[in-house]
Amino acid sequence: MASIQCQFYAETLAMSTSIQVILPQHSSLRESSGGKLPVLYLLHGLGADHAEWLRHSSVERYAEDKGIALIMPSVGRSYYTDMKKGAPYFTYLSEELPAVARSFFPLSERREDNFVAGISMGGYGALKLGLSFPERYAAAASLSGGLDIVSRVNGPNSFLPYEVECIFGNIDGLRGSENDLFALASRLAVSQEQQPHLYQCCGTEDFLYKDNVSFRAHAIDAGLTITYEEEPGEHEWGYWDRKIKRVLDWLPL
């Protein structure tokens, strides 16, 4: 297993940034993917960075066992958006990052070899990527995701006082926008696009539990198929460490 912290200049962001990369030393999956590795883009939560997953979980060991590469970017507190007053992080994540990562490392471009997952804010980002670009990702997984963004910005939340306007602009236009997962789910359900496998979990004691219940109900009503799991658990790494192992077992590798 190779663990690499990679710094490079992101043209989209007009600044240097970092990604944490995990490459399995032995992977039988590489032979079936034309010499390239399947890859899971693993997204961090609010207030964290690219190092969060390795600091708090055993995902490196789990990935080695599966023979899959991990790419872990940093997006600050952007909520995986093209910020109204800030950097275009969603464009960076969806366009530049995969191209740069593939130029540096032996990663497969095939849809069936590309996956995305995340915790909390990163759970939102993972489903946003999967729902926005179903032609690029075979699966997307949210662990304790902050999925109901409209309710979050209009109710109790963990945003700093100035952040909501900087990230989303006028929140009156948030519902139905490209940042509203409920709207993205509805659009995908009626499109002709192949749907990615979707996975969602949340602890029943998590403060985001209601967000997850409401998104699951909406996705199913819209006609999407989603693997949903809930169990006793809070918003913490003991729960996420168990569930990311479950996600890796669930991925259609």
Side-chain angles (χ1 to χ4, degrees), residues 42-183:
L42 200 50
L43 309 184
H44 66 76
L46 189 67
D49 62 13
H50 62 286
E52 178 177 47
W53 278 98
L54 291 193
R55 292 181 62 208
H56 300 296
S57 79
S58 297
V59 70
E60 179 177 0
R61 176 162 52 86
Y62 305 149
E64 173 68 22
D65 291 344
K66 290 295 180 182
I68 187 173
L70 304 178
I71 300 291
M72 293 162 274
S74 280
V75 303
R77 296 175 63 91
S78 68
Y79 232 86
Y80 297 93
T81 66
D82 286 347
M83 301 173 69
K84 295 299 182 183
K85 299 179 181 178
Y89 278 102
F90 189 66
T91 298
Y92 160 71
L93 186 72
S94 59
E95 304 293 341
E96 185 175 5
L97 176 62
V100 168
R102 289 167 189 156
S103 72
F104 291 158
F105 308 107
L107 307 178
S108 173
E109 296 184 27
R110 303 189 312 171
R111 176 186 185 270
E112 57 264 39
D113 294 327
N114 279 263
F115 318 103
V116 60
I119 55 166
S120 197
M121 179 184 81
Y124 166 89
L127 291 193
K128 185 178 177 183
L129 274 176
L131 296 172
S132 298
F133 302 106
E135 74 281 6
R136 301 182 192 177
Y137 300 96
S142 168
L143 288 68
S144 310
L147 306 181
D148 190 347
I149 195 62
V150 174
S151 293
R152 290 213 71 207
V153 299
N154 285 291
N157 59 62
S158 52
F159 293 109
L160 298 174
Y162 59 86
E163 280 188 315
V164 170
E165 182 180 354
C166 288
I167 296 171
F168 301 108
N170 186 343
I171 62 173
D172 291 340
L174 188 54
R175 189 182 302 277
S177 73
E178 70 278 3
N179 293 315
D180 179 3
L181 297 189
F182 288 68

Side-chain angles (χ1 to χ4, degrees), residues 3-7 18-21 50-51:
S3 178
I4 304 162
Q5 182 168 288
C6 176
Q7 289 84 33
S18 297
I19 57 175
Q20 187 72 41
V21 182
H50 62 286

Side-chain angles (χ1 to χ4, degrees), residues 8-17 86-89 92 96:
F8 64 95
Y9 186 82
E11 301 286 347
T12 308
L13 305 177
M15 66 180 187
S16 294
T17 189
Y89 278 102
Y92 160 71
E96 185 175 5

Side-chain angles (χ1 to χ4, degrees), residues 21-42:
V21 182
I22 296 297
L23 300 176
Q25 196 157 340
H26 305 287
S27 175
S28 60
L29 297 174
R30 191 167 182 171
E31 296 178 6
S32 61
S33 299
K36 301 295 182 69
L37 289 164
V39 56
L40 173 64
Y41 291 88
L42 200 50

